[in-house]
Amino acid sequence: MSEDIQEQTAAGAAAPSRRTVIGWGGAGLALGAAVAGGAVALTRGHDATVPVGDSGGAVPFHGPHQAGIATAVQDRLHFASFDVKTKDRDELIGLLKDWTRAAERMTAGAEVGDGAYGGLPEAPPDDTGEALGLKPSRLTLTIGFGPSLFDGRFGLKDRRPGALVELPRFPGDNLDPARSGGDVCVQACADDPQVAVHAIRNLARIGFGKVAVRWSQLGFGKTSSTTPDAQTPRNLFGFKDGTRNIAGTETDRLARHVWVSGKDAQDSAAWMDGGSYLVARRIRMNVETWDRTPLAEQEDVFGRDKREGAPAGKPKEHDEPFLKAMKPDAHVRLAHPDSNHGATLLRRGYSFTDGTDGLGRLDAGLFFLAYQRDVRTGFIPVQTSLASDALNEYIQHVGSALFAIPPGVRDKDDWWGRALFS
């Protein structure tokens, strides 16, 4: 599929070898020489972009916004939420710097540090090695900070943004605490699932003893697109999803609905200028019940036809919907911006299947990811409107988290969260 990538700054130069730097994971782990193929991506110019349709290419890591938000949506996801175990502020800052350097290299297709082999035989390799020989596959790594990080452990209590609220309990929620919350999240998206898993695995390894994975989610089959004119993906219920999603090229809509502006926040949260807010929801879909539901009822539930994705009473998918032609509890009618004072989300969700529930039913559904400028005027009012959604008969929200997504890493001297900890 042809996909445009937003321009962002290319990754910086390599840092010293692990033989001269003691750090990550107990072994000397730092940046070394780029592997073959990675060096080019690490030294590309400031206006470098991924060629259209290049599913193996590298997405530039540096820029005013983090990649993985307005970037053309990749095919695969590995999302991880971490609990911070260290109580040392400087140790956490050091980890964020180490993670940034590792992310620069992995998104460029390079190995972490000195790589997976050829280093000191007495020490574990710097890189876990399962992505050796693979292309960058448009890997993006996006970091966020949860409300619990601002609990006072690291002197950040007064830096918590007003928009980083505790999400209310919505009707029908059946949230599992083990699949909810977290101090820090990392969203890894790529066109190769092994590349995405490799990235999270390496970050978890680097963070050993300082952070621990609280929960994670693998995703496949993107359920929304940020690419204009691309075919709209379908969810596990077989319906097109994200028809009216914000495109990565719609700079005006991104500025209005996604990117935080400095004037949005008080002085304590000025560090969020250029960032966004991410809501992650694990939504279980009762596919067995849905599969026995008549087609006409399925279409009434969504408010769109299944073949074209056209709104009720219209012939084409992208026709402007006439909401009153839909049933009052139709999903599209209740979620539409006109029903929510203009609330608009940028969606990057993925389908998932995680085996069975022990009762012969698939544990399958939607891992919902939505970026917005403020959840108080975005996700919360939309989800509140969906309390009477006919779709609720077939789904259940079982996991939930909210994260403040800081602005992008500007250059090789910048690092994830620098403005927050400055």
Side-chain angles (χ1 to χ4, degrees), residues 349-362:
Y350 287 82
S351 296
F352 69 84
T353 55
D354 290 337
T356 66
D357 62 0
L359 298 173
R361 299 173 301 195
L362 284 175

Side-chain angles (χ1 to χ4, degrees), residues 1-5 53-55 68-78 137-138 187-192 218-243 245 285 346-353 365-369:
M1 182 182 296
S2 177
E3 294 180 312
D4 300 322
I5 304 296
D54 184 4
S55 62
I69 303 174
T71 307
V73 183
Q74 301 93 323
D75 291 332
R76 302 287 181 146
L77 166 81
H78 191 190
S137 299
R138 296 197 299 126
Q187 171 194 282
C189 297
D191 288 324
D192 186 325
L218 294 172
F220 69 92
K222 59 189 177 186
T223 60
S224 295
S225 172
T226 56
T227 307
D229 303 322
Q231 178 175 312
T232 306
R234 293 181 185 268
N235 56 38
L236 291 184
F237 284 162
F239 278 76
K240 291 186 176 181
D241 212 337
T243 294
N245 202 32
M285 298 168 73
L346 187 157
R347 297 179 53 186
R348 288 185 65 94
Y350 287 82
S351 296
F352 69 84
T353 55
L366 167 67
F367 190 63
F368 175 89
L369 295 169

Side-chain angles (χ1 to χ4, degrees), residues 136-153:
S137 299
R138 296 197 299 126
L139 172 68
T140 56
L141 292 167
T142 312
I143 198 169
F145 305 123
S148 55
L149 191 69
F150 298 83
D151 60 6
R153 287 173 290 169

Side-chain angles (χ1 to χ4, degrees), residues 95-108:
L95 173 62
L96 292 172
K97 291 179 178 180
D98 291 346
W99 270 7
T100 305
R101 303 287 81 85
E104 286 173 338
R105 293 184 60 79
M106 290 189 290
T107 55

